[in-house]
Amino acid sequence: MTAPDARTAAIDIRKLSLTYHTADAPVLALSDVDLRVQRGEFVSFIGPSGCGKTTLMRVIANLVEPTDGSITVNGMSPEQARLQRAYGYVFQAPALYPWRTVRRNLTLPLEIMGMAKAERRARAEKYLALVGLQGFENKFPWQLSGGMQQRVSIARALGFEPDLLLMDEPFGALDEITRDHLNEHLLRLWERTRVTVIFVTHSISEAVFLSNRIVVMSPRPGRILEVIDSDLPPDRTLDVRETAAFLKIAHRVRVALRAGHSYDD
Ligand code: ADP
Ligand code: MG
């Protein structure tokens, strides 16, 4: 195994399309998607339900095959990337084992990978600390709030030390205050680790706050409408959302989303 060239794109998608073959009619979920994500970027995908955001994440994670076009993940095929555990996946629901402690939730997948016990425990401790959950190792998931459970999921995904973090609406089910808090937390985490993040959200404000690029998608068939750059200061806090620079980017995202809709919201 050779280390991928630092200049290799984290994700390189060319003319990718995906059709689901269902019992009734085929569903064109993604059409002609072209995108390159560099290492260390934080890229958000935003678009209405059904526009193919989860499908695109599943293609990157090698959970589904594209019908047309090509994709590489860290310079490898998605299958190779999956086999090398080059990415961590965080879903909307925390998906923790309720009957295992927080520590066990982190160490179990590492044990399955064949990692030695001391290393597993060290990783669990390191990443729980990184998401601010030191001291909660022996709790069970049901003893934690929804936001804390989601932080455990993030720590678990980081435990693989992936180059790439795939996050599919990870904070969608949380209240706004918790979501704000976790947004700040995630941004600090990204600054520290510089892991490449692909983040799916419905929230314009969340996308603009977190990302250095925002990919706006249109429904039926899912395609990229516009890619918007954001150059907010790296050490930003939630207050940035009141600034003219932030509102300007949010406005551009909103206009792009409207252009892809057949209705106005
Ligand atoms: P999003 O995450 O943006 O809400 P999805 O990627 O889940 O969108 O879905 C995109 C489209 O593909 C939708 O029309 C959805 O109904 C369809 N779809 C998703 N998964 C499947 C599947 N396994 N089989 C058939 N159609 C699917
Ligand atoms: Mg989805």
Side-chain angles (χ1 to χ4, degrees), residues 92-106:
Q92 179 163 0
L96 302 171
Y97 301 111
W99 61 91
R100 298 194 199 279
T101 62
V102 165
R103 177 186 290 113
R104 247 343 243 150
N105 267 280
L106 263 77

Side-chain angles (χ1 to χ4, degrees), residues 69-83:
S70 68
I71 169 165
T72 62
V73 179
N74 286 336
M76 299 172 263
S77 72
E79 187 185 10
Q80 285 172 309
R82 176 173 56 80
L83 294 173

Side-chain angles (χ1 to χ4, degrees), residues 2-111:
T2 50
D5 182 348
R7 286 164 305 178
T8 309
I11 297 172
D12 190 339
I13 298 174
R14 312 234 173 196
K15 299 203 172 302
L16 189 142
S17 297
L18 190 145
T19 303
Y20 286 111
H21 294 284
T22 61
D24 29 285
V27 178
L28 180 56
L30 293 171
S31 171
D32 209 18
V33 172
D34 249 297
L35 184 74
R36 266 152 298 287
V37 175
Q38 299 305 321
R39 282 164 180 266
E41 277 200 276
F42 195 124
V43 177
S44 286
F45 287 79
I46 190 165
S49 275
C51 73
K53 303 179 296 295
T54 295
T55 300
L56 192 57
M57 299 282 259
R58 297 181 71 220
V59 171
I60 297 168
N62 188 228
L63 300 172
V64 62
E65 294 270 339
T67 314
D68 258 308
S70 68
I71 169 165
T72 62
V73 179
N74 286 336
M76 299 172 263
S77 72
E79 187 185 10
Q80 285 172 309
R82 176 173 56 80
L83 294 173
Q84 291 190 13
R85 295 176 197 273
Y87 63 83
Y89 209 134
V90 181
F91 303 92
Q92 179 163 0
L96 302 171
Y97 301 111
W99 61 91
R100 298 194 199 279
T101 62
V102 165
R103 177 186 290 113
R104 247 343 243 150
N105 267 280
L106 263 77
T107 56
L108 189 66
L110 302 176
E111 184 177 344

